[in-house]
Amino acid sequence: MARLEVPSVLRRTDPKGPPSPLVFDSPHTGLLFPADFRPAIPLEHCERVADWFVEELFGAAPDHGAILIEALFRRAYIDPNRSERDLDLSMIESGWPDPVDLTEKTARGASLVWKVIDGQTPIYDRTLSIAEVRNRIETYWRPYHSALKSALDETHARFGKVFHVDCHSMPEFGDPRWGDQGERRADFIVGTRDGTTASPAFTEVVVETLRASGYSVSLNDKFKGVELIRRYAHPAAGREALQIEVNRGVYMDETTLTRSERFGATQAAVTRMIAALESFARDAAG
């Protein structure tokens, strides 16, 4: 099983055996803050921003012919699941030369470069320079996208199809930013941007396999998928993508940031889903 690592940026793990038409990626699993982060708040406040253990939950993907790509840097530094145009210019010195497209993520302070932690605490007490934002894009964001695009293109060229699974985790309970304050979320939420990035058949394999393992699953509820599936999905061309959010309550303790006693069972359920996807994808590719 070949592994390629760009230090501090990303890790790509290739299939252990014969390749299948599957690519998995975990863009928010990284735990590294580069030295130029320099927040105005204690670093430990920022360190809770990560999709903890997601790369382990989906770690069986290469055993089933898939390529697995993981970010090694933290999303609060620069977020791979945002467009490079999704920038809050109030954070940056004047004169940003490139186009900007504002989104709801910008308004929440969680755009390409995060402005706040937990929706309310400002990260910086300074204006970021154009040079440092460009460095974040060129050194971290762009290589991640390049690695993912290469994996998707390679797989599509080999099989004529590619099925992309973008892997995330979410807090167990809702909060005001999402309009679900205090509500317990489903065990898994599958996002297809309202059916625009993945076929019903691909989606059904994920949803029904997880439900068969005893988990509750919602579809396009709150978390519908953002840049990584929007950018690279083109179902009509044989490129399908969906996002999976795993409820942290089914595998970890959000207070201590440790694996819970449910971790093994949830990991096994995810592995069964990956195996089902392998069978589906191979059949779909003929």
Side-chain angles (χ1 to χ4, degrees), residues 76-152:
Y77 178 75
I78 189 164
D79 195 330
N81 201 25
R82 303 289 184 265
S83 165
E84 73 272 41
R85 295 184 172 198
D86 188 353
L87 271 173
D88 184 342
L89 293 184
S90 71
M91 300 174 60
I92 307 171
E93 67 183 7
S94 62
W96 183 257
D98 299 328
V100 170
D101 293 329
L102 304 184
T103 71
E104 49 132 357
K105 302 296 185 184
T106 325
R108 288 180 181 166
S111 57
L112 181 69
V113 177
W114 280 34
K115 185 176 185 177
V116 298
I117 293 292
D118 296 329
Q120 56 188 357
T121 306
I123 297 173
Y124 304 100
D125 60 359
R126 60 188 174 89
T127 300
L128 304 182
S129 71
I130 290 174
E132 64 183 315
V133 174
R134 280 197 178 282
N135 177 66
R136 295 185 190 194
I137 293 172
E138 297 302 326
T139 307
Y140 297 92
W141 184 94
R142 202 169 302 285
Y144 187 86
H145 276 258
S146 178
L148 177 58
K149 185 177 184 301
S150 292
L152 294 169

Side-chain angles (χ1 to χ4, degrees), residues 190-211:
V190 177
T192 63
R193 296 181 66 87
D194 293 321
T196 62
T197 63
S199 66
F202 177 29
T203 307
E204 184 177 4
V205 172
V206 174
V207 171
E208 295 307 319
T209 305
L210 290 170
R211 284 177 176 165

Side-chain angles (χ1 to χ4, degrees), residues 3 103 185 211 224 245 255 258 264 268:
R3 176 170 285 181
T103 71
R185 290 167 170 160
R211 284 177 176 165
K224 298 184 179 186
E245 293 274 359
T255 301
T258 56

Side-chain angles (χ1 to χ4, degrees), residues 27-269:
H28 296 157
T29 198
L31 300 180
L32 170 74
F33 276 126
D36 68 343
F37 179 48
R38 297 188 292 121
I41 58 178
L43 193 58
E44 56 265 27
H45 291 185
C46 304
E47 287 178 337
R48 301 187 71 84
V49 179
D51 281 351
W52 298 90
F53 313 120
V54 163
E55 79 284 3
E56 293 182 41
L57 289 175
F58 290 85
D63 296 334
H64 293 274
I67 298 171
L68 173 63
I69 296 174
E70 311 159 44
L72 302 179
F73 56 93
R74 287 187 188 258
R75 65 184 301 198
Y77 178 75
I78 189 164
D79 195 330
N81 201 25
R82 303 289 184 265
S83 165
E84 73 272 41
R85 295 184 172 198
D86 188 353
L87 271 173
D88 184 342
L89 293 184
S90 71
M91 300 174 60
I92 307 171
E93 67 183 7
S94 62
W96 183 257
D98 299 328
V100 170
D101 293 329
L102 304 184
T103 71
E104 49 132 357
K105 302 296 185 184
T106 325
R108 288 180 181 166
S111 57
L112 181 69
V113 177
W114 280 34
K115 185 176 185 177
V116 298
I117 293 292
D118 296 329
Q120 56 188 357
T121 306
I123 297 173
Y124 304 100
D125 60 359
R126 60 188 174 89
T127 300
L128 304 182
S129 71
I130 290 174
E132 64 183 315
V133 174
R134 280 197 178 282
N135 177 66
R136 295 185 190 194
I137 293 172
E138 297 302 326
T139 307
Y140 297 92
W141 184 94
R142 202 169 302 285
Y144 187 86
H145 276 258
S146 178
L148 177 58
K149 185 177 184 301
S150 292
L152 294 169
D153 288 349
E154 290 168 25
T155 304
H156 187 268
R158 179 189 291 266
F159 294 99
K161 291 183 180 293
V162 61
F163 298 92
H164 171 206
V165 180
D166 185 37
C167 310
H168 297 262
S169 70
M170 60 184 171
E172 181 174 11
F173 294 96
D175 65 55
R177 290 170 292 172
W178 292 96
D180 58 354
Q181 174 68 33
E183 296 177 20
R184 190 189 183 282
R185 290 167 170 160
D187 297 329
F188 291 84
I189 297 179
V190 177
T192 63
R193 296 181 66 87
D194 293 321
T196 62
T197 63
S199 66
F202 177 29
T203 307
E204 184 177 4
V205 172
V206 174
V207 171
E208 295 307 319
T209 305
L210 290 170
R211 284 177 176 165
S213 291
Y215 292 86
S216 60
V217 185
S218 293
L219 180 61
N220 290 310
D221 178 15
K222 309 293 183 188
F223 302 95
K224 298 184 179 186
V226 193
E227 182 67 8
L228 288 166
I229 67 169
R230 184 205 68 79
R231 194 180 191 100
Y232 300 114
H234 187 2
R239 295 172 178 265
E240 298 190 35
L242 54 77
Q243 174 181 287
I244 299 178
E245 293 274 359
V246 188
N247 189 315
R248 293 176 195 144
V250 300
Y251 75 92
M252 68 174 285
D253 184 317
E254 291 188 80
T255 301
T256 61
L257 302 179
T258 56
R259 300 169 192 80
S260 71
E261 69 283 352
R262 299 185 68 185
F263 183 90
T266 298
Q267 184 185 48

